[in-house]
């Protein structure tokens, strides 16, 4: 519910509630106190004061974000607000009532007002009871509404996470890659059965790796390179001489950890937006180093014909950024006539 709507609803209910208090108090004063003007001033004045103070308690609680506190701290603050609010209401009411009685503006039907300490304590306790009941009712309703909103937010977050994971699966299983691989496999079955069997094996391993890992799982670089090698072997059948690959991998980086399929996504992006969009193809360069406990992965590809520097930021790379979170850095930018993807992952 929008905050403006919630505030409007509170003030409507607050007005009705304390108006009912005034009417009830006036009726009881008329029935048991003879309907004196002093009793009328107390009934109306106390209702108006508690109306304003109850609104002030709500504003203080919302501004101070009391609902983010633990239950004990929340109850303590609300109780203190009620005790002080009731004391303020009695203080202001007395400040108006005593001068009015002294000047003869109001009276109690021939009786004098009782302002002894014991009487004042009883008045204060009665005010605490009324303001406390109203505050408890409002706080309970607000707490229920906050809990419902938190549950809705949790459900939305789960739905967004499910959508992200669905998009991630779609990113891992690129439909164009699958379509090309199956078409090439069909052509190879008769032309080169041995190569076709090798392609089936590599495709099977690629699919198994794509489906086997969840989005938070970490793998070693040596395992990820095996996936990339299978992927590149399949793409080499499709692109033939248009695809050249060079790899420069430091030996001490082989055991470094990275999100599953991260490097494969960078290579796929380089082929799709670089090699695939150039009639003459080009070279994809893969580098991996380990410097100061930071794994640096760099994938370069020639800029695609007519591509803008912002191209290539699709589902797969967006998913890669969510995998990294705050535990890594990813950049994609043109450097000269090549596009450079750089991934840095602290170990």
């Amino acid at each position: 519910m929008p905050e403006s709507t919630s505030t409007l609803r509170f003030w409507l209910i607050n007005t009705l509630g304390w108006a009912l208090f005034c009417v009830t108090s006036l009726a009881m004063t008329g029935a048991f106190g003879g309907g004196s003007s002093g009793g009328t001033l107390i009934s109306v004045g106390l209702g108006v004061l508690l109306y304003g103070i109850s609104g002030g308690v709500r504003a203080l609680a919302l501004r101070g974000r009391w609902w983010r506190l633990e239950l004990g701290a929340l109850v303590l603050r609300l109780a203190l607000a009620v005790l002080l609010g009731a004391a303020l209401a009695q203080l202001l009411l007395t400040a108006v009532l005593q001068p009015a009685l002294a000047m003869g503006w109001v009276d109690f039907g021939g009786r004098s007002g009782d302002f002894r300490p014991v009487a004042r304590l009883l008045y204060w306790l009665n005010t605490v009871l009324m303001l406390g009941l109203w505050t408890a009712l409002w706080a309970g309703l607000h707490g229920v509404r906050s809990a419902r909103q938190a549950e809705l937010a949790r459900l939305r977050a789960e739905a967004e996470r499910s959508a992200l994971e669905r998009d991630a699966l779609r990113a891992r299983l690129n439909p164009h890659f699958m379509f090309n691989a199956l078409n090439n496999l069909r052509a190879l079955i008769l032309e080169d059965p041995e190569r076709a069997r090798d392609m089936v094996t590599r495709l099977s391993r690629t699919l198994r790796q794509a489906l086997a890992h969840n989005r938070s799982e970490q793998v070693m670089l040596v395992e990820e390179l095996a996936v990339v090698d299978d992927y590149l072997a399949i793409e080499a059948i499709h692109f033939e001489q248009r695809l050249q690959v060079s790899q420069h991998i430091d030996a001490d980086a082989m055991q470094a950890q990275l999100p599953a399929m991260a490097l494969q996504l960078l290579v796929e992006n380089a082929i799709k937006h670089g090699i695939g969009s150039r009639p003459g193809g080009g070279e994809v360069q893969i580098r991996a180093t380990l410097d100061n406990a930071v794994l640096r992965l760099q994938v370069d590809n020639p800029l695609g014909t007519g591509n803008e520097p912002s191209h290539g930021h699709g589902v797969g790379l967006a998913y890669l950024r969510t995998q990294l979170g705050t535990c890594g850095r990813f950049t994609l930018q043109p450097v000269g006539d090549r596009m450079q993807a750089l991934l840095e992952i602290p170990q």
Side-chain angles (χ1 to χ4, degrees):
M1 179 184 298
E3 186 61 32
S4 58
T5 303
S6 176
T7 300
L8 177 61
R9 188 177 68 171
F10 168 81
W11 284 110
L12 288 175
I13 296 176
N14 200 41
T15 301
L16 291 175
W18 292 114
L20 180 62
F21 168 81
C22 289
V23 171
T24 303
S25 183
L26 286 171
M28 293 180 65
T29 300
F32 302 103
S36 64
S37 57
T40 300
L41 176 61
I42 291 175
S43 297
V44 175
L46 189 58
V48 172
L49 287 171
L50 291 180
Y51 167 80
I53 290 172
S54 61
V57 171
R58 174 184 180 271
L60 186 62
L62 294 180
R63 188 176 298 112
R65 303 181 185 276
W66 290 1
W67 264 262
R68 296 186 178 182
L69 302 173
E70 295 182 353
L71 180 60
L74 170 64
V75 172
L76 178 61
R77 280 170 170 75
L78 289 175
L80 288 175
V82 167
L83 295 176
L84 294 176
L88 178 62
Q90 285 297 320
L91 181 63
L92 294 175
L93 184 61
T94 301
V96 173
L97 181 61
Q98 283 187 316
L101 287 172
M103 295 180 183
W105 295 347
V106 296
D107 60 55
F108 289 105
R111 294 177 286 114
S112 60
D114 190 352
F115 297 103
R116 294 175 301 169
V118 174
R120 289 177 182 274
L121 178 62
L122 291 177
Y123 299 152
W124 176 72
L125 290 176
N126 180 66
T127 307
V128 167
L129 177 62
M130 297 306 301
L131 183 59
L133 288 174
W134 179 249
T135 301
L137 176 62
W138 166 74
L141 292 175
H142 184 85
V144 169
R145 185 167 67 89
S146 296
R148 185 169 64 247
Q149 290 177 341
E151 179 66 13
L152 288 174
R154 185 185 66 82
L155 293 175
R156 290 193 190 97
E158 288 185 356
E160 291 174 358
R161 184 180 64 184
S162 297
L164 179 62
E165 291 176 348
R166 184 181 64 249
D167 288 343
L169 178 60
R170 185 176 64 196
R172 289 179 174 185
L173 297 178
N174 186 302
H176 297 288
F177 166 71
M178 290 298 301
F179 178 78
N180 292 334
L182 292 176
N183 272 343
N184 293 329
L185 177 60
R186 183 181 61 180
L188 281 176
I189 289 175
L190 296 178
E191 296 178 6
D192 192 342
E194 184 63 29
R195 196 177 181 190
R197 283 193 295 269
D198 179 67
M199 183 176 178
V200 169
T201 301
R202 291 181 180 274
L203 182 59
S204 175
R205 287 200 298 253
T206 301
L207 296 179
R208 182 171 63 250
Q209 290 294 325
L211 297 173
H213 300 288
N214 59 52
R215 69 178 188 146
S216 61
E217 189 169 352
Q218 300 283 307
V219 299
M220 290 189 296
L221 177 60
V222 64
E223 299 172 329
E224 184 76 356
L225 285 172
V227 177
V228 171
D229 287 341
D230 286 335
Y231 174 79
L232 287 172
I234 296 170
E235 288 288 55
I237 296 174
H238 175 69
F239 288 101
E240 297 180 338
Q241 299 303 316
R242 294 173 58 208
L243 173 61
Q244 290 89 45
V245 179
S246 65
Q247 297 188 23
H248 306 278
I249 312 297
D250 285 359
D252 55 356
M254 285 294 194
Q255 305 303 314
Q257 300 281 322
L258 71 160
M261 305 298 290
L263 180 57
Q264 192 272 341
L265 284 173
L266 296 184
V267 174
E268 179 180 338
N269 187 74
I271 293 176
K272 178 180 178 182
H273 297 283
I275 308 302
S277 62
R278 294 172 59 90
E283 182 183 43
V284 174
Q285 298 176 352
I286 304 172
R287 295 180 177 85
T289 59
L290 186 64
D291 299 320
N292 297 321
V294 175
L295 174 63
R296 290 172 52 90
L297 295 173
Q298 182 176 314
V299 178
D300 292 358
N301 61 271
L303 288 173
T305 304
N307 277 7
E308 295 297 328
S310 61
H311 284 193
H313 293 267
V315 173
L317 298 187
Y319 173 66
L320 175 58
R321 289 187 173 90
T322 65
Q323 284 182 300
L324 290 175
T326 59
C327 299
R329 187 172 73 94
F330 171 66
T331 59
L332 180 68
Q333 60 185 355
V335 178
D337 60 350
R338 298 182 65 82
M339 182 68 75
Q340 181 185 94
L342 180 61
L343 187 60
E344 295 182 340
I345 306 170
Q347 299 299 297

